[in-house]
PDB file of all heavy atoms in Angstrom:
ATOM      1  N   THR A 352     105.551  40.836 177.482  1.00  0.00           N
ATOM      2  CA  THR A 352     104.157  41.192 177.183  1.00  0.00           C
ATOM      3  C   THR A 352     103.913  41.209 175.694  1.00  0.00           C
ATOM      4  O   THR A 352     102.922  40.610 175.190  1.00  0.00           O
ATOM      5  CB  THR A 352     103.844  42.570 177.787  1.00  0.00           C
ATOM      6  OG1 THR A 352     104.056  42.536 179.174  1.00  0.00           O
ATOM      7  CG2 THR A 352     102.416  42.943 177.462  1.00  0.00           C
ATOM      8  N   ALA A 353     104.741  41.893 174.914  1.00  0.00           N
ATOM      9  CA  ALA A 353     104.410  42.180 173.535  1.00  0.00           C
ATOM     10  C   ALA A 353     104.918  41.091 172.554  1.00  0.00           C
ATOM     11  O   ALA A 353     104.418  40.995 171.450  1.00  0.00           O
ATOM     12  CB  ALA A 353     105.013  43.506 173.112  1.00  0.00           C
ATOM     13  N   PHE A 354     105.883  40.276 172.986  1.00  0.00           N
ATOM     14  CA  PHE A 354     106.587  39.415 172.024  1.00  0.00           C
ATOM     15  C   PHE A 354     105.658  38.441 171.294  1.00  0.00           C
ATOM     16  O   PHE A 354     105.716  38.345 170.057  1.00  0.00           O
ATOM     17  CB  PHE A 354     107.718  38.659 172.736  1.00  0.00           C
ATOM     18  CG  PHE A 354     108.593  37.885 171.820  1.00  0.00           C
ATOM     19  CD1 PHE A 354     109.610  38.510 171.075  1.00  0.00           C
ATOM     20  CD2 PHE A 354     108.463  36.526 171.677  1.00  0.00           C
ATOM     21  CE1 PHE A 354     110.393  37.794 170.232  1.00  0.00           C
ATOM     22  CE2 PHE A 354     109.248  35.807 170.824  1.00  0.00           C
ATOM     23  CZ  PHE A 354     110.214  36.438 170.107  1.00  0.00           C
ATOM     24  N   PRO A 355     104.804  37.669 171.987  1.00  0.00           N
ATOM     25  CA  PRO A 355     103.995  36.685 171.252  1.00  0.00           C
ATOM     26  C   PRO A 355     103.158  37.243 170.149  1.00  0.00           C
ATOM     27  O   PRO A 355     103.181  36.781 168.989  1.00  0.00           O
ATOM     28  CB  PRO A 355     103.125  36.033 172.352  1.00  0.00           C
ATOM     29  CG  PRO A 355     103.898  36.254 173.601  1.00  0.00           C
ATOM     30  CD  PRO A 355     104.576  37.575 173.441  1.00  0.00           C
ATOM     31  N   ALA A 356     102.385  38.277 170.416  1.00  0.00           N
ATOM     32  CA  ALA A 356     101.494  38.880 169.405  1.00  0.00           C
ATOM     33  C   ALA A 356     102.314  39.581 168.357  1.00  0.00           C
ATOM     34  O   ALA A 356     102.007  39.541 167.158  1.00  0.00           O
ATOM     35  CB  ALA A 356     100.536  39.823 170.055  1.00  0.00           C
ATOM     36  N   ALA A 357     103.432  40.274 168.752  1.00  0.00           N
ATOM     37  CA  ALA A 357     104.249  41.004 167.795  1.00  0.00           C
ATOM     38  C   ALA A 357     104.883  40.072 166.776  1.00  0.00           C
ATOM     39  O   ALA A 357     105.017  40.427 165.588  1.00  0.00           O
ATOM     40  CB  ALA A 357     105.294  41.836 168.534  1.00  0.00           C
ATOM     41  N   VAL A 358     105.359  38.901 167.225  1.00  0.00           N
ATOM     42  CA  VAL A 358     105.897  37.936 166.276  1.00  0.00           C
ATOM     43  C   VAL A 358     104.902  37.534 165.230  1.00  0.00           C
ATOM     44  O   VAL A 358     105.202  37.417 164.034  1.00  0.00           O
ATOM     45  CB  VAL A 358     106.429  36.677 167.070  1.00  0.00           C
ATOM     46  CG1 VAL A 358     106.746  35.539 166.150  1.00  0.00           C
ATOM     47  CG2 VAL A 358     107.668  37.021 167.864  1.00  0.00           C
ATOM     48  N   LEU A 359     103.696  37.324 165.623  1.00  0.00           N
ATOM     49  CA  LEU A 359     102.630  36.911 164.700  1.00  0.00           C
ATOM     50  C   LEU A 359     102.311  38.032 163.710  1.00  0.00           C
ATOM     51  O   LEU A 359     102.068  37.786 162.541  1.00  0.00           O
ATOM     52  CB  LEU A 359     101.397  36.469 165.476  1.00  0.00           C
ATOM     53  CG  LEU A 359     101.604  35.245 166.392  1.00  0.00           C
ATOM     54  CD1 LEU A 359     100.458  35.100 167.363  1.00  0.00           C
ATOM     55  CD2 LEU A 359     101.722  33.991 165.523  1.00  0.00           C
ATOM     56  N   TRP A 360     102.255  39.281 164.214  1.00  0.00           N
ATOM     57  CA  TRP A 360     102.021  40.429 163.283  1.00  0.00           C
ATOM     58  C   TRP A 360     103.178  40.563 162.297  1.00  0.00           C
ATOM     59  O   TRP A 360     102.950  40.872 161.143  1.00  0.00           O
ATOM     60  CB  TRP A 360     101.842  41.704 164.086  1.00  0.00           C
ATOM     61  CG  TRP A 360     100.519  41.805 164.735  1.00  0.00           C
ATOM     62  CD1 TRP A 360      99.298  41.497 164.245  1.00  0.00           C
ATOM     63  CD2 TRP A 360     100.271  42.264 166.080  1.00  0.00           C
ATOM     64  NE1 TRP A 360      98.317  41.732 165.158  1.00  0.00           N
ATOM     65  CE2 TRP A 360      98.888  42.217 166.318  1.00  0.00           C
ATOM     66  CE3 TRP A 360     101.091  42.726 167.123  1.00  0.00           C
ATOM     67  CZ2 TRP A 360      98.283  42.573 167.536  1.00  0.00           C
ATOM     68  CZ3 TRP A 360     100.543  43.115 168.309  1.00  0.00           C
ATOM     69  CH2 TRP A 360      99.135  43.033 168.526  1.00  0.00           C
ATOM     70  N   GLY A 361     104.404  40.316 162.747  1.00  0.00           N
ATOM     71  CA  GLY A 361     105.536  40.405 161.904  1.00  0.00           C
ATOM     72  C   GLY A 361     105.490  39.308 160.810  1.00  0.00           C
ATOM     73  O   GLY A 361     105.826  39.551 159.635  1.00  0.00           O
ATOM     74  N   ALA A 362     105.067  38.124 161.166  1.00  0.00           N
ATOM     75  CA  ALA A 362     104.977  37.031 160.194  1.00  0.00           C
ATOM     76  C   ALA A 362     103.846  37.220 159.205  1.00  0.00           C
ATOM     77  O   ALA A 362     103.855  36.646 158.111  1.00  0.00           O
ATOM     78  CB  ALA A 362     104.789  35.710 160.932  1.00  0.00           C
ATOM     79  N   SER A 363     102.861  38.029 159.559  1.00  0.00           N
ATOM     80  CA  SER A 363     101.684  38.214 158.695  1.00  0.00           C
ATOM     81  C   SER A 363     102.086  38.891 157.388  1.00  0.00           C
ATOM     82  O   SER A 363     101.493  38.538 156.329  1.00  0.00           O
ATOM     83  CB  SER A 363     100.618  39.029 159.421  1.00  0.00           C
ATOM     84  OG  SER A 363     100.176  38.373 160.581  1.00  0.00           O
ATOM     85  N   PHE A 364     103.026  39.817 157.413  1.00  0.00           N
ATOM     86  CA  PHE A 364     103.349  40.566 156.212  1.00  0.00           C
ATOM     87  C   PHE A 364     103.946  39.690 155.098  1.00  0.00           C
ATOM     88  O   PHE A 364     103.432  39.667 153.976  1.00  0.00           O
ATOM     89  CB  PHE A 364     104.307  41.713 156.538  1.00  0.00           C
ATOM     90  CG  PHE A 364     104.600  42.619 155.380  1.00  0.00           C
ATOM     91  CD1 PHE A 364     103.678  43.577 154.957  1.00  0.00           C
ATOM     92  CD2 PHE A 364     105.785  42.538 154.720  1.00  0.00           C
ATOM     93  CE1 PHE A 364     103.939  44.401 153.877  1.00  0.00           C
ATOM     94  CE2 PHE A 364     106.055  43.361 153.622  1.00  0.00           C
ATOM     95  CZ  PHE A 364     105.126  44.286 153.189  1.00  0.00           C
ATOM     96  N   PRO A 365     105.023  38.900 155.343  1.00  0.00           N
ATOM     97  CA  PRO A 365     105.512  38.044 154.286  1.00  0.00           C
ATOM     98  C   PRO A 365     104.531  36.969 153.856  1.00  0.00           C
ATOM     99  O   PRO A 365     104.481  36.556 152.699  1.00  0.00           O
ATOM    100  CB  PRO A 365     106.811  37.427 154.881  1.00  0.00           C
ATOM    101  CG  PRO A 365     106.672  37.623 156.330  1.00  0.00           C
ATOM    102  CD  PRO A 365     105.887  38.836 156.533  1.00  0.00           C
ATOM    103  N   LEU A 366     103.696  36.456 154.789  1.00  0.00           N
ATOM    104  CA  LEU A 366     102.679  35.482 154.439  1.00  0.00           C
ATOM    105  C   LEU A 366     101.650  36.092 153.500  1.00  0.00           C
ATOM    106  O   LEU A 366     101.154  35.445 152.563  1.00  0.00           O
ATOM    107  CB  LEU A 366     102.060  34.914 155.660  1.00  0.00           C
ATOM    108  CG  LEU A 366     102.929  33.997 156.545  1.00  0.00           C
ATOM    109  CD1 LEU A 366     102.205  33.568 157.803  1.00  0.00           C
ATOM    110  CD2 LEU A 366     103.378  32.765 155.751  1.00  0.00           C
ATOM    111  N   ALA A 367     101.257  37.378 153.777  1.00  0.00           N
ATOM    112  CA  ALA A 367     100.321  38.038 152.896  1.00  0.00           C
ATOM    113  C   ALA A 367     100.904  38.256 151.509  1.00  0.00           C
ATOM    114  O   ALA A 367     100.204  38.101 150.500  1.00  0.00           O
ATOM    115  CB  ALA A 367      99.925  39.362 153.506  1.00  0.00           C
ATOM    116  N   LEU A 368     102.189  38.601 151.418  1.00  0.00           N
ATOM    117  CA  LEU A 368     102.864  38.725 150.135  1.00  0.00           C
ATOM    118  C   LEU A 368     102.829  37.408 149.380  1.00  0.00           C
ATOM    119  O   LEU A 368     102.486  37.388 148.171  1.00  0.00           O
ATOM    120  CB  LEU A 368     104.295  39.178 150.315  1.00  0.00           C
ATOM    121  CG  LEU A 368     104.550  40.607 150.756  1.00  0.00           C
ATOM    122  CD1 LEU A 368     106.035  40.834 151.016  1.00  0.00           C
ATOM    123  CD2 LEU A 368     104.033  41.595 149.749  1.00  0.00           C
ATOM    124  N   ALA A 369     103.117  36.316 150.062  1.00  0.00           N
ATOM    125  CA  ALA A 369     103.103  35.024 149.404  1.00  0.00           C
ATOM    126  C   ALA A 369     101.673  34.630 148.990  1.00  0.00           C
ATOM    127  O   ALA A 369     101.482  33.984 147.949  1.00  0.00           O
ATOM    128  CB  ALA A 369     103.700  33.965 150.311  1.00  0.00           C
ATOM    129  N   ALA A 370     100.679  35.062 149.728  1.00  0.00           N
ATOM    130  CA  ALA A 370      99.309  34.671 149.439  1.00  0.00           C
ATOM    131  C   ALA A 370      98.748  35.385 148.211  1.00  0.00           C
ATOM    132  O   ALA A 370      97.908  34.821 147.494  1.00  0.00           O
ATOM    133  CB  ALA A 370      98.412  34.933 150.617  1.00  0.00           C
ATOM    134  N   VAL A 371      99.225  36.589 147.915  1.00  0.00           N
ATOM    135  CA  VAL A 371      98.655  37.349 146.782  1.00  0.00           C
ATOM    136  C   VAL A 371      99.614  37.342 145.586  1.00  0.00           C
ATOM    137  O   VAL A 371      99.226  37.837 144.524  1.00  0.00           O
ATOM    138  CB  VAL A 371      98.348  38.803 147.212  1.00  0.00           C
ATOM    139  CG1 VAL A 371      97.399  38.824 148.359  1.00  0.00           C
ATOM    140  CG2 VAL A 371      99.656  39.532 147.612  1.00  0.00           C
ATOM    141  N   ALA A 372     100.845  36.846 145.701  1.00  0.00           N
ATOM    142  CA  ALA A 372     101.807  36.898 144.614  1.00  0.00           C
ATOM    143  C   ALA A 372     101.421  35.922 143.526  1.00  0.00           C
ATOM    144  O   ALA A 372     100.910  34.822 143.761  1.00  0.00           O
ATOM    145  CB  ALA A 372     103.185  36.603 145.124  1.00  0.00           C
ATOM    146  N   SER A 373     101.624  36.357 142.270  1.00  0.00           N
ATOM    147  CA  SER A 373     101.431  35.502 141.121  1.00  0.00           C
ATOM    148  C   SER A 373     102.517  35.846 140.091  1.00  0.00           C
ATOM    149  O   SER A 373     103.104  36.919 140.083  1.00  0.00           O
ATOM    150  CB  SER A 373     100.049  35.711 140.496  1.00  0.00           C
ATOM    151  OG  SER A 373      99.851  37.019 140.075  1.00  0.00           O
ATOM    152  N   LYS A 374     102.739  34.905 139.218  1.00  0.00           N
ATOM    153  CA  LYS A 374     103.850  35.027 138.271  1.00  0.00           C
ATOM    154  C   LYS A 374     103.660  36.229 137.328  1.00  0.00           C
ATOM    155  O   LYS A 374     102.584  36.508 136.852  1.00  0.00           O
ATOM    156  CB  LYS A 374     103.962  33.749 137.439  1.00  0.00           C
ATOM    157  CG  LYS A 374     105.093  33.739 136.439  1.00  0.00           C
ATOM    158  CD  LYS A 374     105.083  32.407 135.663  1.00  0.00           C
ATOM    159  CE  LYS A 374     106.197  32.388 134.608  1.00  0.00           C
ATOM    160  NZ  LYS A 374     106.193  31.128 133.865  1.00  0.00           N
ATOM    161  N   GLY A 375     104.749  36.995 137.122  1.00  0.00           N
ATOM    162  CA  GLY A 375     104.735  38.072 136.164  1.00  0.00           C
ATOM    163  C   GLY A 375     104.358  39.419 136.738  1.00  0.00           C
ATOM    164  O   GLY A 375     104.260  40.402 135.989  1.00  0.00           O
ATOM    165  N   GLN A 376     104.141  39.539 138.034  1.00  0.00           N
ATOM    166  CA  GLN A 376     103.764  40.808 138.620  1.00  0.00           C
ATOM    167  C   GLN A 376     104.966  41.784 138.711  1.00  0.00           C
ATOM    168  O   GLN A 376     106.085  41.305 138.757  1.00  0.00           O
ATOM    169  CB  GLN A 376     103.183  40.595 140.007  1.00  0.00           C
ATOM    170  CG  GLN A 376     101.796  40.059 140.047  1.00  0.00           C
ATOM    171  CD  GLN A 376     101.360  39.794 141.494  1.00  0.00           C
ATOM    172  OE1 GLN A 376     101.850  38.859 142.135  1.00  0.00           O
ATOM    173  NE2 GLN A 376     100.504  40.660 142.002  1.00  0.00           N
ATOM    174  N   ASP A 377     104.639  43.036 138.776  1.00  0.00           N
ATOM    175  CA  ASP A 377     105.633  44.031 139.160  1.00  0.00           C
ATOM    176  C   ASP A 377     105.778  43.955 140.686  1.00  0.00           C
ATOM    177  O   ASP A 377     104.843  44.250 141.404  1.00  0.00           O
ATOM    178  CB  ASP A 377     105.168  45.434 138.713  1.00  0.00           C
ATOM    179  CG  ASP A 377     106.081  46.529 139.201  1.00  0.00           C
ATOM    180  OD1 ASP A 377     107.179  46.207 139.680  1.00  0.00           O
ATOM    181  OD2 ASP A 377     105.696  47.687 139.110  1.00  0.00           O
ATOM    182  N   PRO A 378     106.938  43.560 141.185  1.00  0.00           N
ATOM    183  CA  PRO A 378     107.083  43.434 142.634  1.00  0.00           C
ATOM    184  C   PRO A 378     106.802  44.737 143.377  1.00  0.00           C
ATOM    185  O   PRO A 378     106.351  44.733 144.500  1.00  0.00           O
ATOM    186  CB  PRO A 378     108.568  43.026 142.790  1.00  0.00           C
ATOM    187  CG  PRO A 378     108.929  42.402 141.507  1.00  0.00           C
ATOM    188  CD  PRO A 378     108.180  43.147 140.456  1.00  0.00           C
ATOM    189  N   GLY A 379     107.093  45.883 142.715  1.00  0.00           N
ATOM    190  CA  GLY A 379     106.811  47.180 143.356  1.00  0.00           C
ATOM    191  C   GLY A 379     105.336  47.373 143.626  1.00  0.00           C
ATOM    192  O   GLY A 379     104.925  47.842 144.687  1.00  0.00           O
TER     193      GLY A 379
END
Side-chain angles (χ1 to χ4, degrees):
T352 301
F354 188 79
V358 167
L359 296 166
W360 285 317
S363 299
F364 185 77
L366 290 176
L368 289 175
V371 301
S373 61
K374 182 180 177 181
Q376 285 177 288
D377 175 12

